[in-house]
Amino acid sequence: MCGIVGYVGPRPVRDVVIEGLSRLEYRGYDSAGIASVEDGAIHVEKAVGRLSNLVDRLSDEGAFSGHIGIGHTRWATHGRPSDDNAHPHRDCRGRFAIVHNGIVENYLQLREDLLAKGHRFTSETDTEVVAHLMEELDTGDLFTTMMAVARQIRGAYALVAMSAEDPNTLVALRKSSPLVVGLGTGENFVASDIPAILEYTRDVYVLDDGQMAVVTRDGVQCFTLEGQPVAKDVLHVAWDPVAAERGGYDHFMLKEIHEQPKAIRDTLSGRISPDGTRVVLDELGWSTEFIQSIDRIHIVACGTSWHAGLVGKAVMERFAQIPVNVEVASEYRYSHPLQTDHTLVVVITQSGETADTLAALRDSKARGRRVLAITNVIGSSAAREADAVLLTLAGPEIAVASTKAYTTQLVALYLLGLYLAQVRGTVDDQTLQEVLSALVSLPQAAEQVLDAAPRIEQFALDYQDARDCFFIGRGLDYALSLEGALKLKEISYIHAEAYAAGELKHGTLALITEGVPVIALATQTHLYEKTLSNIKEVKARDAFVLGLTFAGDDELQKSVDEVIYLPQTMPVVAPIVTVIPLQLLAYYAAVVRGNDVDKPRNLAKSVTVE
Ligand code: M6R
């Protein structure tokens, strides 16, 4: 959470910083700020709220036209959103400026010490102590000053610091919060995430935990936080800058929903043999012996990625016959999980930077477990720290609400489950081929299901004033119901709950009254009749039921008020297409209610704090 940009080079700093922050606003949008060094002084402008508020304040064309600067977009942790709490923060003399992503855990103690030494604070943030520490520990050289600061602060941080005394240098530090350095010609960049600098360069250094960089126009030098030089490999990012644009869509979320057929295709590409008979996951580098030895799998993730894990469990248990636990990362890390010596830990994270998921990854590695990361971001912490990586090829996902990342996570999990089954000999050739062929047909099915958008939009319009909404289903449809409910809550702010359809009558049925919308998923053929009975139970209480089933099913329409038909596919892979109408429903519900679809209140895309 929080987005950071730094720039040093010939362009006006305002252009690069504001443009970069606009690409990072998904990381937080409680306030925004910019600082630059001009004429030997540090200038700062900040504004509570969206980046556009800051832009409005920069009405003077000439402001921030210098050539070195930093910027920040905030997701508030310590101190409510306000101008004062917005970054950048300065020391008492205004000679240093700092932007920060993370939490300085010992800030209270540091603050007390600094107050006792006469420092005056202007914000409630943990970050401001860093600026005052810089003043206190100033060595006359920004690099060594920041090393001294790093020795004093505990917690998680990505920091970029600037000094009025050295208008050519930025110093960036990383500990547990992401930071990349973009490499240009005669200019260099720092950012929390690659999309912020994609327009200028695709070559980056990804700082590792415990590293810092000294960034000038002419070069970048990397060190440990203790000052030892480190050699970095350049990561060339394949993402096309256009992929991070809205491309004519009203919102990133809608664009990303529509990108799913391609994202599914890309994630499958090269991972199924040309004759469609085998899964090819040599990229994992696993031996047959290792795969045979796995005796349980722990899938660990948060939010939508956790929901993907629930589908993954069903697939792996069914095909690879390995017991799977799916755990919420924030719980897992403190739960003394029962791992055997042969437990495989699979972390799922779109961003590769979610703090709790990374903690689970690190704890598991420390216990000697093998960890596989399913992630969308090459160069992310999860990708770099896991023993093996299965990349989802969704391209940059900008909207806070996850869509194409989810469907590609499902694709990766299907491939993984089938691969394990193939190597362990727990799936017969015919079944394997059938499922692989069903997977290959999914991009086309996803195209078709997008055609249902106008009907879903109408439903969202009709139910725009709904206070509650329920999602029900059995088996894989239940896992999807959880995702449908999360999506609706997250962006439309309608209260939504998901229930295993058979569970409603154990309490929640009391909430079903006349006209309450219920989204009933009925794609799992072997559970169809049972689900139908549960649908009748809610219909008998006068709920308004929108059903989802496959084309060709004439039965469901007799029991519900409206039906969305999905293209025929094998039920076991159906989640990849069934989720699309649910995403569209959340999207249109948010649009008709006038919400900021891509930046829902209180949230940020990349949750880099616990
Ligand atoms: O980057 P991650 O996949 O680790 O993020 C996990 C969750 O924060 C994320 O999926 C969140 O639930 C989405 N915003 C939901 O749409």
Side-chain angles (χ1 to χ4, degrees), residues 286-293 423-424:
W286 289 345
S287 66
T288 303
E289 192 188 9
F290 166 67
I291 293 174
Q292 297 281 12
S293 75
V423 176
R424 293 164 70 97

Side-chain angles (χ1 to χ4, degrees), residues 10-27:
R11 303 172 203 255
V13 72
R14 163 195 177 134
D15 294 356
V16 181
V17 168
I18 298 298
E19 173 64 24
L21 291 181
S22 74
R23 311 275 175 184
L24 294 181
E25 239 194 327
Y26 68 84
R27 300 179 71 87

Side-chain angles (χ1 to χ4, degrees), residues 296-338:
R296 66 176 72 177
I297 295 175
H298 286 184
I299 297 179
V300 190
C302 300
T304 286
S305 297
W306 179 68
H307 293 159
L310 296 173
V311 176
K313 170 185 164 78
V315 174
M316 284 180 215
E317 289 188 338
R318 172 166 167 186
F319 294 113
Q321 293 171 20
I322 304 172
V324 180
N325 288 24
V326 189
E327 310 282 350
V328 170
S330 55
E331 293 293 317
Y332 187 77
R333 58 185 296 194
Y334 298 115
S335 69
H336 310 293
L338 287 175

Side-chain angles (χ1 to χ4, degrees), residues 435-557:
V435 183
L436 290 179
S437 142
L439 285 173
V440 168
S441 70
L442 285 175
Q444 201 190 350
E447 299 274 7
Q448 287 171 27
V449 83
L450 285 166
D451 294 342
R455 290 198 44 226
I456 296 167
E457 184 174 9
Q458 186 57 49
F459 180 83
L461 205 59
D462 294 345
Y463 280 86
Q464 61 178 302
D465 296 325
R467 216 189 52 180
D468 307 297
C469 182
F470 293 86
F471 291 74
I472 59 170
R474 285 173 174 257
L476 290 174
D477 282 337
Y478 170 49
L480 273 170
S481 298
L482 289 162
E483 175 58 8
L486 172 64
K487 215 95 296 173
L488 190 68
K489 282 183 274 203
E490 184 177 19
I491 57 170
S492 77
Y493 315 146
I494 295 172
H495 167 243
E497 297 286 350
Y499 281 91
E503 184 65 13
L504 270 188
K505 54 184 158 305
H506 297 286
T508 311
L509 202 55
L511 295 177
I512 304 295
T513 52
E514 187 179 352
V516 168
V518 175
I519 316 300
L521 312 186
T523 72
Q524 297 304 297
T525 320
H526 65 298
L527 299 166
Y528 185 82
E529 286 178 4
K530 304 279 176 204
T531 308
L532 211 54
S533 303
N534 301 135
I535 291 173
K536 287 185 191 298
E537 288 161 10
V538 293
K539 259 326 288 172
R541 274 85 190 169
D542 293 325
F544 184 94
V545 181
L546 171 68
L548 265 75
T549 188
F550 293 123
D553 169 3
D554 298 328
E555 205 48 44
L556 189 65
Q557 57 167 343

Side-chain angles (χ1 to χ4, degrees), residues 377-398:
V377 182
I378 190 171
S380 63
S381 299
R384 285 176 306 118
E385 294 181 35
D387 300 296
V389 179
L390 195 47
L391 269 184
T392 51
L393 292 148
E397 190 180 69
I398 309 290

